[in-house]
C-alpha cells in the first residue's frame, strides 16, 4: 500500500522536475507556462488543497466522527438495552462509564504507538478497535460482550484524540492547517449531534450498525493516503519523505523549500532529542506542558462531558423535549462547523479559542441561570429557553491533544466530570453550571496570557516558540 503511494509520488516529482528549464547559463528556472517549451507553472507548496490532502483529512474526520457517536451512544441506547438485556441500573452504568477506561488505555499507548509504527498504521489499529467494538455490541447477547465492545470503542477513541490532530498538523500547509483541523475536530460534534438526532427513532442495535459505517469508510481511505512526511523524515526515510510530501502537495507544487525546512528541523530535533518522560518536565518544556495540559483541563473541567453525556437529563429537567432539543442542536451545529473552519485561518487559532472559551462561559452561566429561575419558580416560561440557548452556545466538541500526557489528562478529567456530574446536579442544578462557568472564565484568562497564536506559522515555528521561550 505505501510502496504504491511512493511510486506514484516519485512519478509526480519527475513531472515537476521536467518543468525546470535551462536558462543557458547552466542555472535552471521554472517554466512560466508561456515559454516555447510549454512548461507548466510550478506553484508554491502551500497554495491550495489537493485531492490527496482532502482524502487524508476525511480519513481523520471519520475517526473523530466515530468518537462523537461513541461518546453519546450509551445515553441513547439506555432504555432499549435495559429492556432487551434485563440489565440493572448498576450494570448499565458500568457499560456507559467503561468507555472512559478504554480511552485512558488508548491515551497511554497512543504516543508511543504513533512514533514507532507511524501515523497511518496507528489509524489502522484504532479503526480495528472501532470495528471490533461496534461488532461486539451489535451481536451482544449479554452484558459482558456489551462491556467489552464499549471498552474497545473507548480505546479507539482515546487513540483518535492523539493521532488525528498530530497527523493533520503534520500534513497540512500552514495557510490551510487551521481550517482543515477545525473541520475534522468538529466532526466529533457532528457525530454526536447526528447520533442524538437519529438515535431517538431507531433501535440500539441499528444505531450501532450505523455507527460502524464511518469506520468502514476510514478503512478504505487508508489505502489511498500517504504517511506523514514529517514522521518519515524523522525515521530517516528520505526517499519516502520526499515522495509523500509531493503526493500531498500535488504535481505542480515546488516542495523543495518546505522539504528543506522540515529536514533541517527534524535533524536538529534528532540531535537534541529528549525522548524520555522525565525530560518532559525540563525548564525548556514548561510552557509547552502548561499550554497543552491547561487547554485540556479548562475545556473538560468546564463541563464538556457533563453536557455531552447527560444532554437528555439536562433537557428534560429544564422542561425541554429532548427530541426537539437535539434537532435544534443539530441545526445549529452543522453550519457552525463550516463557519468555524472559514474563520480560524482569518482570525487565528488563539482568537477562536478565546471566543470558544467565552461561549462556554456564557453557555454554562445561562444554563445555571435557567435552573436558578426554575428553583425559585420565577419566569417559568423563560427558564427552558435560557437552558436551550445555554446548551446551544456551549460547543460540544473534543479538541485533540498535543501529546500522550495531554491526552491522558483529558480522559482522567473526563472521568472526573462524568462521575461527579450527577452528584453535583443533585446538590444544585444551578450551582453545577455556575461552577462550570467560573472554570470557563479562568480558561479565557489562561488563553489570553499563555497560548501563542498559530496563524500563518509553520508547525516547526510553533514548536520552536513553545520550547525556546524559557531558554
Amino acid at each position: 500500500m505505501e510502496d504504491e503511494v511512493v511510486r506514484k509520488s516519485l512519478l509526480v516529482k519527475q513531472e515537476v522536475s521536467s518543468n525546470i528549464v535551462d536558462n543557458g547559463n547552466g542555472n535552471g528556472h521554472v517554466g512560466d507556462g508561456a515559454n516555447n517549451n510549454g512548461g507548466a507553472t510550478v506553484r508554491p507548496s502551500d497554495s491550495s488543497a489537493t485531492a490527496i490532502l482532502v482524502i487524508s483529512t476525511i480519513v481523520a474526520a471519520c475517526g473523530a466522527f466515530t468518537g462523537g457517536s461513541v461518546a453519546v451512544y450509551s445515553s441513547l441506547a439506555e432504555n432499549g438495552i435495559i429492556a432487551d438485556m434485563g440489565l440493572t441500573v448498576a450494570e448499565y452504568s458500568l457499560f456507559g462509564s467503561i468507555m472512559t477506561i478504554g480511552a485512558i488505555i488508548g491515551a497511554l499507548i497512543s504516543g508511543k504507538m504513533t512514533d514507532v509504527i507511524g501515523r497511518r498504521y496507528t489509524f489502522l489499529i484504532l479503526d480495528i478497535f472501532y470495528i471490533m467494538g461496534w461488532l461486539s455490541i451489535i451481536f451482544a447477547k449479554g452484558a459482558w460482550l456489551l462491556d467489552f465492545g464499549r471498552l474497545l470503542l473507548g480505546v479507539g477513541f482515546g487513540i483518535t484524540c492523539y493521532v488525528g490532530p498530530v497527523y493533520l498538523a503534520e500534513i497540512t500547509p500552514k495557510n490551510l492547517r487551521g481550517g482543515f483541523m477545525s473541520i475534522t475536530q468538529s466532526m466529533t460534534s457532528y457525530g454526536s449531534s447526528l447520533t442524538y438526532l437519529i438515535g431517538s427513532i431507531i433501535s440500539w442495535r441499528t444505531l450501532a450498525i450505523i455507527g460502524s459505517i464511518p469506520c468502514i469508510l476510514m478503512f478504505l481511505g487508508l489505502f489511498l493516503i500517504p504517511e506523514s512526511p514529517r514522521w518519515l523524515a524523522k525515521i530517516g526515510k528520505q526517499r519516502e519523505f520526499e515522495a509523500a510530501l509531493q503526493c500531498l502537495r500535488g504535481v505542480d507544487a515546488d516542495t523543495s523549500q518546505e522539504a528543506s525546512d522540515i529536514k533541517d528541523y527534524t535533524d536538529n530535533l534528532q540531535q537534541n532529542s529528549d525522548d524520555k518522560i522525565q525530560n518532559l518536565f525540563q525548564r525548556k518544556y514548561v510552557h509547552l506542558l502548561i499550554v497543552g495540559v491547561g487547554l485540556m483541563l479548562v475545556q473538560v473541567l468546564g463541563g464538556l462531558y457533563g453536557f455531552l453525556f447527560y444532554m437528555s437529563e439536562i433537557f428534560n429537567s429544564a422542561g425541554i423535549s429532548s427530541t426537539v432539543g437535539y434537532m435544534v442542536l443539530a441545526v445549529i451545529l452543522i453550519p457552525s462547523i463550516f463557519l468555524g473552519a472559514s474563520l480560524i485561518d482569518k482570525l487565528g487559532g488563539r482568537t477562536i479559542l478565546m471566543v470558544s472559551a467565552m461561549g462556554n462561559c456564557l453557555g454554562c452561566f445561562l444554563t445555571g441561570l435557567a435552573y436558578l429561575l426554575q428553583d425559585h419558580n420565577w419566569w417559568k416560561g423563560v427558564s427552558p429557553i435560557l437552558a436551550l440557548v445555554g446548551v446551544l452556545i456551549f460547543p460540544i466538541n473534543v479538541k485533540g491533544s498535543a501529546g500522550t500526557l495531554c491526552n491522558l489528562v483529558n480522559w482522567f478529567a473526563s472521568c472526573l466530570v462524568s462521575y461527579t456530574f450527577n452528584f453535583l446536579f443533585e446538590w444544585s442544578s444551578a450551582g453545577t453550571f455556575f461552577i462550570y462557568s467560573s472554570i470557563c472564565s479562568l480558561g479565557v484568562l489562561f488563553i489570553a496570557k499563555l497560548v501563542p497564536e498559530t496563524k500563518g506559522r509553520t508547525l516547526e515555528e510553533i514548536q520552536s516558540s513553545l520550547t525556546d521561550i524559557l531558554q
Side-chain angles (χ1 to χ4, degrees):
M1 181 166 66
E2 187 169 331
D3 289 341
E4 181 63 23
V5 171
V6 170
R7 284 195 295 270
K8 290 180 179 179
S9 300
L10 286 175
L11 289 175
V12 167
K13 201 167 186 67
Q14 289 172 2
E15 290 180 24
V16 172
S17 299
S18 68
N19 290 324
I20 304 298
V21 183
D22 193 340
N23 64 10
N25 295 321
N27 298 319
H29 72 279
V30 179
D32 60 6
N35 55 59
N36 294 332
N37 295 327
T41 300
V42 178
R43 60 176 174 80
S45 64
D46 61 352
S47 61
S48 63
T50 62
I52 292 297
L53 181 61
V54 172
I55 293 173
S56 300
T57 303
I58 291 174
V59 167
C62 286
F65 187 97
T66 302
S69 299
V70 168
V72 303
Y73 176 80
S74 60
S75 64
L76 292 160
E78 181 173 1
N79 293 333
I81 289 180
I82 289 177
D84 292 349
M85 299 290 188
L87 302 183
T88 64
V89 174
E91 288 173 330
Y92 193 80
S93 295
L94 175 62
F95 170 74
S97 61
I98 202 170
M99 187 214 79
T100 55
I101 304 300
I104 290 174
I105 297 172
L108 285 170
I109 65 176
S110 60
K112 196 66 176 178
M113 179 190 300
T114 303
D115 281 342
V116 171
I117 68 174
R119 284 56 166 148
R120 193 173 59 156
Y121 284 107
T122 300
F123 273 125
L124 178 61
I125 289 176
L126 73 86
D127 197 37
I128 291 173
F129 276 113
Y130 275 153
I131 293 173
M132 290 178 61
W134 285 125
L135 288 175
S136 296
I137 292 174
I138 292 168
F139 293 105
K141 300 297 182 182
W144 73 270
L145 197 54
L146 281 173
D147 293 341
F148 180 66
R150 184 78 171 159
L151 180 70
L152 293 179
L153 290 173
V155 175
F157 194 13
I159 300 173
T160 299
C161 288
Y162 178 82
V163 69
V166 167
Y167 180 71
L168 282 178
E170 291 181 344
I171 67 171
T172 50
K174 64 181 180 181
N175 67 313
L176 300 175
R177 185 184 306 121
F180 273 71
M181 292 189 70
S182 176
I183 291 174
T184 303
Q185 293 172 23
S186 295
M187 284 297 110
T188 304
S189 306
Y190 195 28
S192 299
S193 61
L194 187 60
T195 303
Y196 274 133
L197 200 59
I198 65 176
S200 58
I201 59 176
I202 61 176
S203 70
W204 59 274
R205 289 191 195 272
T206 304
L207 185 60
I209 293 172
I210 293 175
S212 67
I213 294 175
C215 307
I216 298 172
L217 296 176
M218 183 178 182
F219 180 80
L220 297 175
L222 287 171
F223 287 90
L224 303 175
I225 67 174
E227 179 56 85
S228 162
R230 284 177 169 87
W231 182 77
L232 291 169
K234 178 183 176 182
I235 63 173
K237 292 189 175 182
Q238 181 67 24
R239 176 173 170 270
E240 291 85 349
F241 153 63
E242 293 177 354
L245 184 61
Q246 192 70 65
C247 179
L248 287 164
R249 300 297 181 257
V251 175
D252 58 345
D254 179 8
T255 62
S256 57
Q257 184 59 53
E258 185 178 7
S260 177
D261 292 342
I262 293 174
K263 192 68 170 62
D264 290 345
Y265 180 83
T266 303
D267 290 344
N268 181 65
L269 197 65
Q270 295 285 61
Q271 293 172 6
N272 300 280
S273 178
D274 292 321
D275 192 20
K276 295 180 180 178
I277 188 64
Q278 61 267 29
N279 291 331
L280 184 60
F281 299 95
Q282 292 179 10
R283 186 172 182 271
K284 63 180 179 179
Y285 296 129
V286 168
H287 191 211
L288 175 65
L289 194 62
I290 290 174
V291 170
V293 173
L295 284 175
M296 290 295 101
L297 288 177
V298 297
Q299 173 190 258
V300 178
L301 295 181
L304 173 65
Y305 282 91
F307 278 84
L308 192 63
F309 284 1
Y310 303 104
M311 187 66 68
S312 295
E313 185 175 349
I314 293 172
F315 280 143
N316 292 333
S317 61
I320 305 168
S321 166
S322 57
T323 301
V324 172
Y326 294 145
M327 292 179 67
V328 174
L329 183 63
V331 169
I332 295 296
L333 279 179
I334 292 170
S336 70
I337 292 171
F338 301 101
L339 178 63
S342 64
L343 290 178
I344 193 167
D345 283 317
K346 296 179 180 178
L347 301 180
R350 181 173 176 271
T351 302
I352 295 297
L353 279 175
M354 287 280 291
V355 173
S356 177
M358 291 177 183
N360 294 353
C361 181
L362 180 60
C364 289
F365 179 80
L366 290 178
T367 307
L369 182 60
Y371 283 114
L372 182 64
L373 295 175
Q374 188 182 70
D375 291 343
H376 291 83
N377 292 317
W378 296 337
W379 296 354
K380 290 184 178 180
V382 175
S383 59
I385 298 175
L386 280 177
L388 179 59
V389 171
V391 170
L392 294 178
I393 290 175
F394 194 100
I396 307 172
N397 56 31
V398 180
K399 300 176 181 69
S401 56
T404 299
L405 179 62
C406 297
N407 201 11
L408 196 58
V409 167
N410 174 51
W411 286 111
F412 271 118
S414 302
C415 283
L416 177 65
V417 171
S418 61
Y419 181 75
T420 61
F421 180 86
N422 281 325
F423 295 102
L424 288 172
F425 202 71
E426 184 178 350
W427 162 70
S428 172
S429 53
T432 299
F433 292 100
F434 286 142
I435 290 173
Y436 290 155
S437 180
S438 299
I439 295 173
C440 290
S441 66
L442 294 176
V444 175
L445 297 176
F446 175 84
I447 294 167
K449 294 293 184 182
L450 294 175
V451 177
E453 181 55 81
T454 59
K455 180 182 178 183
R457 304 173 72 186
T458 65
L459 189 60
E460 288 72 30
E461 289 170 345
I462 297 168
Q463 292 172 333
S464 295
S465 68
L466 286 171
T467 55
D468 293 344
I469 192 169
L470 293 176
Q471 289 183 311

